[in-house]
Amino acid sequence: MQVNEKNIQAFRPNNEVKNAITHLNEENQPKMVDIGDKETTERIALASGRISMNKEAYDAIINHCVKKGPVLQTAIIAGIMGAKKTSELIPMLPFNHAQWGGY
């Protein structure tokens, strides 16, 4: 797709949307939002997933016979590390590390 004024316009928010989006300045450019005076709120994030595998792989995990090490413990560590990196992975997400609740 070629970039031209018509398809650029499609990505510019109208006034109603513009007033609701606080991360855009007057020129529709991204900006950080000052949250210094914002009250702390409690938020809970839940995630789920589904893993499919054959019976041999399942049995190896359950019986701790995987040559590369403890699969479930590694997955838990990866999940914790991912959660702690959320503010780095989601653009412009402020994060106060002192308020991290942990796992």
Side-chain angles (χ1 to χ4, degrees):
M1 175 167 79
Q2 285 193 342
V3 177
N4 58 43
E5 185 58 33
K6 185 177 180 181
N7 57 30
I8 289 175
Q9 189 64 33
F11 293 100
R12 290 189 178 137
N14 61 34
N15 285 337
E16 184 179 320
V17 173
K18 191 187 299 185
N19 292 334
I21 300 175
T22 58
H23 284 78
L24 296 179
N25 66 16
E26 295 75 28
E27 289 84 38
N28 290 330
Q29 297 301 311
K31 68 172 186 165
M32 289 297 291
V33 176
D34 181 8
I35 61 160
D37 294 331
K38 187 175 180 182
E39 226 175 280
T40 301
T41 57
E42 181 176 333
R43 298 176 184 182
I44 297 173
L46 300 174
S48 66
R50 177 180 228 150
I51 300 172
S52 298
M53 66 185 76
N54 62 33
K55 182 171 177 17
E56 291 80 19
Y58 175 80
D59 288 341
I61 292 170
I62 296 302
N63 295 316
H64 307 287
C65 298
V66 178
K67 292 179 184 177
K68 292 189 175 187
V71 175
L72 298 178
Q73 291 81 350
T74 302
I76 291 169
I77 292 168
I80 292 169
M81 291 174 70
K84 292 175 107 174
K85 295 283 186 183
T86 301
S87 63
E88 295 173 22
L89 300 173
I90 300 176
M92 297 187 288
L93 176 69
F95 187 77
N96 182 342
H97 290 278
Q99 296 173 346
W100 164 248
Y103 172 72

